Amino acid sequence: MTSTAPEPAATSATQVELSIGGMTCASCAARIEKKLNRMDGVTATVNFATEKAKVSYGDGVRVDDLIATVEATGYTAEEPAPPAREEEAAGAAAAPPATDADLHALRHRLLVSVALSVPVVLMAMIPALQFDNWQWLSLTLAAPVVVWGAYPFHKAAWTNARHGAATMDTLVSIGTLAALGWSVWALFFGHAGMTGMRHGFDLTVSRTDGSSSIYLEAAAGVTAFILAGRYLEAKSKRKAGAALRALMELGAKDVSVLRGGKEVRIPVAELAVGDRFVLRPGEKVATDGTVVVGASAVDASMLTGESVPVDVTVGDPVTGATVNAGGRLVVEATRVGADTQLARMAKLVEDAQNGKAEVQRLADRISAVFVPAVIVIALGTLLTWLLVTGDATAAFTAAVAVLIIACPCALGLATPTALMVGTGRGAQLGILIKGPEVLESTRRVDTVVLDKTGTVTTGRMELHDVVAAPEVDEAELLTLAGSLEHASEHPVAQAISVGAVARVGRLPVPESFENVPGLGVQGVVDGHAVLVGREKLLKEWAIKLPRELAEAKAAAEAEGRTAVAVAWDGEARGVLTVADAVKETSAEAVAQMRRLGLNPVLLTGDNQAVAESVARSVGIDEVIAEVLPEDKVEVVKRLQGDGRTVAMVGDGVNDAAALATADLGLAMGTGTDAAIEAGDLTLVRGDLRVAADAIRLSRKTLTTIKGNLFWAFGYNVAALPLAAAGMLNPMIAGAAMAFSSVFVVTNSLRLRSFK
């Protein structure tokens, strides 16, 4: 086994974070990033999901210059909040990029477009529904869809055109407007508007009279399909800031402060350095501080990943958002607001999300080449026909046919359908996939970093071994120790009492009980004077552990377990060991990951002995232990710097930033909200085997999306020569688009059989 300590982070230039507005796709983020990086001394990363730009710049560059560059590219940028409003800025950073009002407006646009589009498509495809003048009703229904429903695409296409760029928005805008424009011309100036006009089913390849053909179903249908995809994307973006909000919500909301010898309840935001506050059992620590009165055990597992509660007494530090699991404490605040460890971890998560390279969508990458090519072909077709035949109507018909056959009906379905089927099947298996960008990461991953507590292990203290002294009955040992520990609030004590009940049944009620801070408990059970706790507690009563019990205690501690000594009536009677138990399925999960070509690494804040013991039991060779929460990010970055593509599996607040930094973050659904929201994939069941299933399903879904995109473009590309030659019958165009859409949907449905 190898143990590696994290390296210190490198220093960076002056940094600023800008809020970016007006982006519609990953191509927009790439364009802004490219423009900023062309500036001298500037290094920028633009994240489409969070709508933020993280920019490092040197001397001679001002924030105003950065904003001006973004605005010159066709987007908006806002300056960071001034230092005096740091808390407000933190709240804004956690706010989602898409507000509820934005999402509601997009949903409204989608529902109206679908309601108007469905009759148009049905009338065009089912001759029995084509009554006299049906085409005019189609125009009445389709026009609002193409003009109003597709307005976001037209606006984005215009913005892109002004900067010499083309994306899927350009393709959608040109295709839908061309289809609507030609249909309007054919209805008003051609023969398509005549009473009694019908769409036939002649599928022969021949030149046709374009003035009698309308394409309203293509224009309206494509708009509705693409809007549906954008709505799903917007819902995913709505959650981009949820990790930060979940982190901030972990902290206490109010606190009892000592003022003039009395307790006064105030909001945590009003707490100042030097204030003393009271902490009762079960309450969250309001802020980072130092214990000045009392002794207790603090459960810091949600924040540090350490499964064993930490005993604290006067002079010991405590961290905000951890939980007091024992007695009453008085704590003096040493750090408040943005200086606390919780706030610093929230900043780590935000930085990781903003710095994470956003993978451009496959459709956008292809359309960057496909769209300009189609436009060039359409213009070439128009000019060629004019030069060869001199027939303006035939030339325009052929040119518009090129644009219409390129209209991405199947392309609009390629990603959403595969994603919907894949995520639906994943949900049945306990896997939640955040979005299409996640899928591309799964194919490249070669290293999987596993958090220990709550991921490989249960995250709960459990009674492990019971070692009784010679001539001592094990059931009696558990009964007396479990009875006394049942009266204690300490997590180790609770693990012993729960384990005792499971093994011996009902426990007697102690006749007396006393908690000995930092050492254990003592009392009388069934007439026996019982001691349960550290070896030091027994020594205070002049009781020494015999050799066999001392060896059992040493062996347990060598394995990283917590050993508790038990004595009664003046003699040591046994040793109970408590540990964070390894999940039954973890070893099988590690084996499955290896079969997928992944190298597992165990990462934990626990001590080296505990980590290596757990690693041996599940078959992991590489261990990185005793890592502070903020250093987990550096460990992931160092592995990435070594050329590895890293997946991270975790469940705690301390894992949130590392999950966001990793190339692929897998959050255990049994963990904290902060970890779940920071992950790319959520494993609902908390079974580590699901991590291997998630990677397999993601890879399969990505393969399906790529296949869909290939065929979505394939049908269009194959029909382009026919359209350019003026040989494209409207029904062939409709059949080609319909068949490509059916193929894409059918191909996506194959994911339902994933096991």
Side-chain angles (χ1 to χ4, degrees):
M1 293 190 183
T2 61
S3 175
T4 311
E7 298 176 356
T11 57
S12 58
T14 305
Q15 291 190 345
V16 67
E17 189 174 83
L18 301 177
S19 296
I20 307 297
M23 294 190 294
T24 60
C25 62
S27 295
C28 298
R31 191 172 309 116
I32 298 170
E33 190 172 294
K34 185 177 180 181
K35 290 285 187 181
L36 287 172
N37 285 326
R38 284 180 178 175
M39 299 175 66
D40 292 335
V42 173
T43 303
T45 301
V46 181
N47 192 314
F48 171 57
T50 59
E51 297 184 349
K52 297 280 184 67
K54 186 177 180 181
V55 188
S56 298
Y57 59 96
D59 296 336
V61 179
R62 299 178 305 163
V63 174
D64 289 343
D65 298 330
L66 302 174
I67 293 175
T69 299
V70 174
E71 291 176 345
T73 312
Y75 305 90
T76 63
E78 292 181 1
E79 291 188 64
R85 299 184 59 194
E86 187 172 5
E87 291 185 4
E88 288 86 343
T99 64
D100 290 334
D102 295 334
L103 201 61
H104 178 75
L106 182 56
R107 181 173 180 269
H108 176 68
R109 191 181 298 271
L110 169 63
L111 292 177
V112 172
S113 297
V114 169
L116 296 177
S117 298
V118 169
V120 176
V121 174
L122 291 178
M123 285 189 290
M125 297 300 175
I126 304 175
L129 299 179
Q130 296 173 7
F131 52 87
D132 287 345
N133 295 316
W134 66 274
Q135 65 272 38
W136 294 102
L137 176 60
S138 291
L139 176 63
T140 304
L141 297 174
V145 176
V146 178
V147 176
W148 174 78
Y151 174 74
F153 309 130
H154 304 323
K155 181 181 178 181
W158 173 246
T159 299
N160 292 328
R162 282 165 44 210
H163 296 89
T167 65
M168 187 173 168
D169 289 319
T170 308
L171 197 60
V172 173
S173 179
I174 291 178
T176 54
L177 289 176
L180 176 65
W182 181 255
S183 300
V184 169
W185 183 89
L187 285 169
F188 283 95
F189 304 105
H191 306 299
M194 297 175 60
T195 301
M197 191 277 281
R198 299 287 189 276
H199 265 171
F201 278 91
D202 182 9
L203 297 180
T204 59
V205 179
S206 60
R207 292 182 183 173
T208 60
D209 178 13
S211 64
S212 63
S213 301
I214 60 174
Y215 303 94
L216 296 171
E217 75 282 0
V222 166
T223 299
F225 282 134
I226 306 300
L227 278 175
R230 287 294 167 86
Y231 177 70
L232 293 175
E233 180 182 68
K235 286 190 68 176
S236 177
K237 284 178 64 181
R238 173 68 177 82
K239 298 178 180 179
L244 299 179
R245 294 195 301 278
L247 272 173
M248 301 316 294
E249 287 170 2
L250 277 176
K253 300 300 183 288
D254 50 27
V255 59
S256 292
V257 180
L258 291 175
R259 298 276 169 84
K262 297 181 179 180
E263 292 186 24
V264 180
R265 202 78 182 173
I266 65 171
V268 169
E270 297 178 10
L271 200 61
V273 173
D275 282 345
R276 294 190 173 190
F277 58 91
V278 177
L279 194 62
R280 292 179 174 80
E283 288 186 336
K284 290 182 180 179
V285 180
T287 191
D288 296 356
T290 302
V291 177
V292 292
V293 176
S296 181
V298 174
D299 181 2
S301 59
M302 293 179 69
L303 208 60
T304 66
E306 175 68 48
S307 56
V308 180
V310 179
D311 290 319
V312 296
T313 186
V314 176
D316 290 335
V318 291
T319 305
T322 56
V323 179
N324 179 19
R328 179 182 182 273
L329 296 174
V330 176
V331 179
E332 181 174 310
T334 56
R335 288 194 296 252
V336 297
D339 295 329
T340 64
Q341 183 173 343
L342 180 64
R344 291 201 304 268
M345 292 180 69
K347 182 62 177 173
L348 279 174
V349 173
E350 184 180 1
D351 289 344
Q353 287 184 336
N354 290 339
K356 191 174 184 179
E358 179 74 9
V359 182
Q360 290 186 348
R361 294 189 185 280
L362 292 174
D364 280 322
R365 291 207 298 268
I366 297 172
S367 63
V369 177
F370 184 71
V371 174
V374 169
I375 294 173
V376 170
I377 293 172
L379 291 174
T381 300
L382 177 65
L383 294 175
T384 301
W385 273 84
L386 286 174
L387 291 173
V388 174
T389 67
D391 186 342
T393 299
F396 192 65
T397 300
V400 172
V402 169
L403 292 175
I404 290 172
I405 195 61
C407 198
C409 184
L411 182 60
L413 293 170
T415 298
T417 53
L419 192 62
M420 283 190 286
V421 177
T423 53
R425 180 57 181 154
Q428 294 176 336
L429 299 174
I431 304 164
L432 301 181
I433 302 173
K434 292 289 180 68
E437 312 90 352
V438 175
L439 307 178
E440 296 190 47
S441 302
T442 61
R443 182 176 293 277
R444 301 190 303 271
V445 167
D446 53 36
T447 301
V448 56
V449 176
L450 304 173
D451 171 61
K452 181 186 74 67
T453 307
T455 303
V456 177
T457 65
T458 62
R460 299 186 307 274
M461 301 298 290
E462 296 180 8
L463 180 62
H464 196 272
D465 291 325
V466 178
V467 181
E471 300 180 359
V472 173
D473 180 56
E474 182 178 305
E476 184 181 14
L477 174 66
L478 284 172
T479 298
L480 296 179
S483 173
L484 200 59
E485 292 283 50
H486 185 70
S488 172
E489 296 173 333
H490 197 288
V492 171
Q494 289 299 305
I496 292 174
S497 67
V498 169
V501 169
R503 301 189 190 193
V504 301
R506 189 171 181 175
L507 301 175
V509 178
E511 296 156 34
S512 68
F513 169 83
E514 180 184 353
N515 179 49
V516 184
L519 295 179
V521 294
Q522 60 190 31
V524 177
V525 181
D526 283 348
H528 300 285
V530 183
L531 303 173
V532 183
R534 299 178 185 269
E535 186 178 1
K536 185 178 178 181
L537 177 63
L538 274 64
K539 288 181 178 179
E540 289 188 356
W541 288 81
I543 300 175
K544 184 179 179 181
L545 286 178
R547 182 178 55 82
E548 59 270 19
L549 293 184
E551 290 176 351
K553 175 178 177 292
E557 291 175 344
E559 290 290 326
R561 298 175 183 143
T562 300
V564 178
V566 182
W568 65 79
D569 297 340
E571 292 185 23
R573 308 288 183 166
V575 169
L576 307 177
T577 64
V578 174
D580 181 9
V582 175
K583 293 180 181 178
E584 295 180 358
T585 58
S586 291
E588 182 184 347
V590 170
Q592 290 179 4
M593 291 175 187
R594 290 190 183 278
R595 288 196 291 271
L596 287 171
L598 304 175
N599 176 46
V601 178
L602 188 68
L603 177 65
T604 180
D606 263 350
N607 63 65
Q608 192 71 31
V610 173
E612 292 190 353
S613 173
V614 171
R616 281 194 300 270
S617 67
V618 297
I620 296 177
D621 300 323
E622 189 173 354
V623 177
I624 304 176
E626 299 178 21
V627 178
L628 296 174
E630 54 268 29
D631 290 336
K632 288 191 175 185
V633 172
E634 295 305 321
V635 170
V636 172
K637 287 181 178 179
R638 181 174 53 75
L639 291 172
Q640 291 170 328
D642 292 339
R644 303 199 205 182
T645 303
V646 180
M648 170 77 185
V649 188
D651 76 321
V653 174
N654 62 308
D655 302 320
L659 287 169
T661 302
D663 299 282
L664 179 69
L666 296 94
M668 304 297 282
T670 51
T672 64
D673 290 342
I676 292 170
E677 296 298 347
D680 301 307
L681 293 163
T682 299
L683 314 179
V684 177
R685 286 190 282 137
D687 186 337
L688 191 56
R689 290 178 301 180
V690 182
D693 291 337
I695 292 175
R696 287 175 48 240
L697 175 61
S698 297
R699 290 177 176 178
K700 182 69 174 176
T701 304
L702 177 62
T703 300
T704 302
I705 289 176
K706 287 184 174 180
N708 287 348
L709 290 171
F710 172 80
W711 288 108
F713 279 106
Y715 285 110
N716 298 53
V717 171
L720 280 176
L722 293 176
M727 305 287 289
L728 189 63
N729 184 291
M731 293 315 300
I732 291 182
M737 282 192 282
F739 185 68
S740 63
S741 298
V742 169
F743 180 88
V744 162
V745 173
T746 304
N747 191 44
S748 298
L749 289 174
R750 292 170 56 234
L751 289 169
R752 293 168 61 184
S753 62
F754 176 87
K755 296 181 180 179

